[in-house]
């Protein structure tokens, strides 16, 4: 029995990129041998075991054969006769087909180390085209390693295009698409994931609402980058740059979907795009089974982001109702996430990436102000339904004072 460290741990160790998980492949062993040593079985389709102490994954070396459509359309074969080379050739990219033994010796039959040095994401074999999930994985790796200068090999991009054109991508389950996408969104250069999918034609298959934004013009005096799709990816870059949460990053990604639905005779203006965007945001969230909290923030950002930009001109009552719709009293973290997403939208414009967004401070102050006003602050003789009405009145009055103070401050600094 021989054990090798494989996949991401070897790749990232050679690259000097941080890694946490370790996966191992076991050659020349049977399930019974691993069970006898205390390994715990977890694999459903093929034998995978957890180490009794470290809980790292140990998989028996295997080969695979396409037997149906989609990610699950494979038959797997494990036997003591399966070699390390047999196991490695079924992997997606050459940089993921490198193994290391306990002594640190590298086994690289498919020249992955060379591709690491040359910053190339290249498929191991033509079997790459048998698994549609690999399109998303390559796009995610393109995002992860963009900081090191990695690019996708032309022949690999051609296979990804082939998969996008074949209809195989539609066989992917929503859970798999969301898992890969959510992981990609948390990379430092998440925008590269969507740009790579667009390059190979997969974006229009899996994310047609986002793909439709490219080529849609905006008013250059507000959006020097002009193109709605470019603005979307620039806004996402801002969310990555600030290391914001997954919820914020996804909300930024879908905040302008309504602009793809603007009537052509209204372009480059986008009147009512916030309202038009709600349905496509719902559609993409429902199709991918996006978590409820993520969906709720995304809809709020889509509907309300212009009000954030206009915060200083909103009347006190209007500002209160905005904060109320964001659930300010029960979910202050949602208001904070909303403000972050709107700031990314404002900065996701050509030449304006480092522009100050004072609305963020103003809205944060407004949130803290209304949350500080509690029923215990009211006169003792206020009872029943009057408590709620007076709380609203006090909060609106406090917001009016806040607006007045900011107006005076701005006047004094002119």
């Amino acid at each position: 029995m021989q054990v090798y460290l494989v996949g991401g741990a070897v790749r990232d160790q050679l690259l000097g990129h941080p890694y946490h998980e370790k996966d191992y492949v076991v050659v020349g062993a049977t399930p019974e041998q691993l069970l006898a040593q205390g390994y715990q079985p977890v694999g459903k389709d093929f034998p995978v075991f957890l180490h009794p102490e470290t809980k790292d994954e140990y998989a028996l070396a295997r080969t695979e054969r396409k037997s149906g459509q989609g990610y699950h359309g494979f038959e797997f074969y494990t036997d003591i006769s399966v070699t390390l080379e047999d196991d490695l050739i079924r992997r997606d990219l050459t940089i993921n087909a490198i193994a290391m033994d306990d002594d640190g010796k590298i086994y690289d039959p498919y020249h992955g180390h060379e591709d690491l040095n040359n910053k190339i994401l290249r498929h191991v074999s033509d079997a790459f085209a048998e698994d549609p999930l690999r399109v998303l994985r390559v796009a995610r790796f393109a995002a992860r390693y963009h900081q090191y200068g990695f690019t996708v090999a032309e022949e690999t991009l051609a296979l990804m295009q082939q998969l996008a054109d074949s209809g195989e991508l539609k066989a992917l389950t929503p859970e798999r698409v969301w898992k890969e996408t959510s992981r990609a969104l948390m990379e430092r250069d998440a925008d590269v994931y969507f740009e790579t999918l667009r390059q190979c034609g997969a974006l229009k298959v899996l994310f047609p609402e986002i793909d439709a934004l490219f080529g849609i013009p905006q008013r250059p005096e507000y959006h020097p980058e002009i193109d709605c799709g470019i603005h979307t990816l620039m806004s996402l870059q801002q969310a990555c740059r600030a290391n914001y949460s997954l919820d914020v990053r996804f909300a930024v990604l879908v905040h302008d979907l309504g602009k793809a639905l603007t009537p052509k005779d209204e372009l480059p203006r986008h009147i009512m795009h916030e309202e038009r965007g709600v349905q496509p945001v719902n559609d993409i969230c429902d199709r991918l089974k996006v978590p409820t909290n993520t969906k709720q923030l995304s809809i709020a950002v889509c509907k309300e982001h212009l009000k954030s930009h206009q915060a200083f001109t909103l009347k006190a009552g209007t500002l209160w109702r905005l904060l109320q719709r964001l659930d300010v009293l029960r979910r202050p973290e949602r208001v904070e996430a909303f403000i972050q997403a709107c700031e990314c939208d404002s900065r996701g414009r050509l030449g304006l990436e480092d522009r100050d967004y004072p609305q963020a401070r103003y809205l944060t102050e407004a949130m803290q102000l209304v949350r500080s006003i509690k029923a215990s602050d009211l006169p003792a003789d206020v009872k029943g339904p009057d408590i709620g009405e007076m709380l609203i009145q006090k909060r609106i009055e406090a917001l009016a004072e806040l607006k007045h103070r900011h107006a005076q401050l701005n006047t004094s600094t002119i």
Side-chain angles (χ1 to χ4, degrees):
M1 185 174 84
Q2 296 169 298
V3 177
Y4 301 90
L5 182 67
V6 293
V10 179
R11 175 196 68 225
D12 289 342
Q13 192 175 138
L14 293 173
L15 191 60
H17 186 82
Y19 65 93
H20 306 288
E21 296 181 357
K22 292 183 177 181
D23 295 317
Y24 295 86
V25 66
V26 183
V27 177
T30 65
E32 291 74 22
Q33 285 176 291
L34 291 182
L35 290 172
Q37 295 181 33
Y39 286 78
Q40 300 172 335
V42 294
K44 295 180 181 178
D45 300 317
F46 46 82
V48 178
F49 301 83
L50 296 183
H51 190 280
E53 296 176 3
T54 66
K55 304 305 179 185
D56 290 330
E57 284 195 359
Y58 286 69
L60 291 184
R62 67 185 188 269
T63 60
E64 61 188 33
R65 183 175 66 87
K66 185 74 169 174
S67 60
Q69 193 177 41
Y71 174 68
H72 293 290
F74 291 90
E75 292 179 357
F76 297 96
Y77 173 74
T78 60
D79 185 81
I80 58 173
S81 64
V82 178
T83 66
L84 178 64
E85 289 76 10
D86 292 335
D87 183 272
L88 293 177
I89 199 172
R90 66 173 178 77
R91 297 174 185 267
D92 50 7
L93 298 174
T94 60
I95 65 170
N96 296 330
I98 310 172
M100 180 186 294
D101 65 17
D102 290 340
D103 296 325
K105 182 179 177 181
I106 294 295
Y107 296 82
D108 182 23
Y110 305 109
H111 312 294
H113 202 173
E114 181 180 345
D115 282 341
L116 270 180
N117 291 334
N118 292 329
K119 317 299 183 189
I120 296 291
L121 301 174
R122 190 193 316 275
H123 61 285
V124 179
S125 74
D126 288 344
F128 176 96
E130 295 177 352
D131 185 355
L133 185 65
R134 289 176 169 175
V135 173
L136 298 181
R137 281 176 54 83
V138 172
R140 177 164 61 82
F141 286 129
R144 174 179 295 178
Y145 300 119
H146 179 74
Q147 60 184 300
Y148 301 114
F150 274 78
T151 58
V152 181
E154 289 185 12
E155 59 270 29
T156 303
L157 203 60
L159 283 179
M160 293 165 69
Q161 176 76 61
Q162 178 182 318
L163 275 167
D165 293 342
S166 70
E168 279 269 309
L169 292 176
K170 294 179 181 178
L172 292 173
T173 65
E175 291 82 4
R176 295 300 304 184
V177 176
W178 174 246
K179 182 179 180 181
E180 289 296 324
T181 301
S182 60
R183 291 178 71 183
L185 280 167
M186 294 310 296
E187 298 292 353
R188 197 187 81 161
D189 297 291
D191 56 293
V192 175
Y193 173 77
F194 297 97
E195 186 55 49
T196 303
L197 293 179
R198 182 167 173 259
Q199 281 182 321
C200 71
L203 193 66
K204 65 184 176 185
V205 177
L206 297 172
F207 305 95
E209 300 89 350
I210 299 171
D211 186 71
L213 290 170
F214 289 90
I216 302 296
Q218 302 173 100
R219 295 172 65 181
E221 63 267 35
Y222 297 115
H223 284 275
E225 73 287 348
I226 301 177
D227 190 285
C228 289
I230 293 174
H231 163 64
T232 293
L233 296 188
M234 291 183 70
S235 299
L236 180 56
Q237 286 173 356
Q238 290 294 316
C240 297
R241 176 177 165 182
N243 199 26
Y244 287 147
S245 69
L246 172 63
D247 287 356
V248 171
R249 296 183 192 208
F250 185 76
V252 169
L253 178 70
V254 300
H255 80 281
D256 263 353
L257 294 187
K259 288 183 176 178
L261 303 177
T262 299
K264 289 185 179 180
D265 60 354
E266 294 182 11
L267 295 174
R269 303 177 71 196
H270 291 278
I271 302 168
M272 304 285 288
H273 76 273
E274 315 97 287
E275 289 81 359
R276 287 194 183 103
V278 172
Q279 188 58 55
V281 171
N282 267 307
D283 290 344
I284 196 171
C285 288
D286 291 346
R287 187 173 68 251
L288 298 183
K289 298 183 180 180
V290 171
T292 300
N293 287 343
T294 310
K295 177 181 177 180
Q296 289 175 344
L297 176 65
S298 299
I299 291 173
V301 173
C302 176
K303 288 176 65 174
E304 313 281 8
H305 62 273
L306 284 191
K307 290 186 177 63
S308 174
H309 304 332
Q310 300 162 351
F312 292 116
T313 63
L314 297 181
K315 294 179 179 180
T318 304
L319 179 54
W320 159 247
R321 287 187 290 275
L322 169 63
L323 293 171
Q324 203 174 27
R325 289 194 296 275
L326 295 172
D327 209 0
V328 63
L329 301 179
R330 295 185 305 171
R331 301 283 301 277
E333 70 279 2
R334 178 174 293 168
V335 182
E336 292 172 357
F338 169 81
I339 294 169
Q340 290 171 350
C342 294
E343 182 177 37
C344 293
D345 173 35
S346 176
R347 290 178 171 170
R349 297 180 289 170
L350 188 63
L352 302 174
E353 294 87 348
D354 297 312
R355 186 184 188 185
D356 189 29
Y357 190 68
Q359 294 93 327
R361 295 186 292 275
Y362 182 69
L363 289 171
T364 300
E365 193 173 351
M367 174 188 70
Q368 295 168 344
L369 186 60
V370 299
R371 285 179 55 81
S372 71
I373 300 172
K374 303 182 183 300
S376 57
D377 300 325
L378 301 180
D381 58 346
V382 179
K383 305 291 184 182
D386 293 340
I387 294 176
E389 292 181 11
M390 183 165 285
L391 279 173
I392 291 174
Q393 180 184 336
K394 292 289 186 184
R395 287 166 178 151
I396 292 176
E397 288 173 356
L399 291 174
E401 292 177 11
L402 175 65
K403 178 180 173 67
H404 180 67
R405 287 201 307 273
H406 272 267
Q408 284 188 318
L409 180 63
N410 290 336
T411 301
S412 65
T413 56
I414 293 178

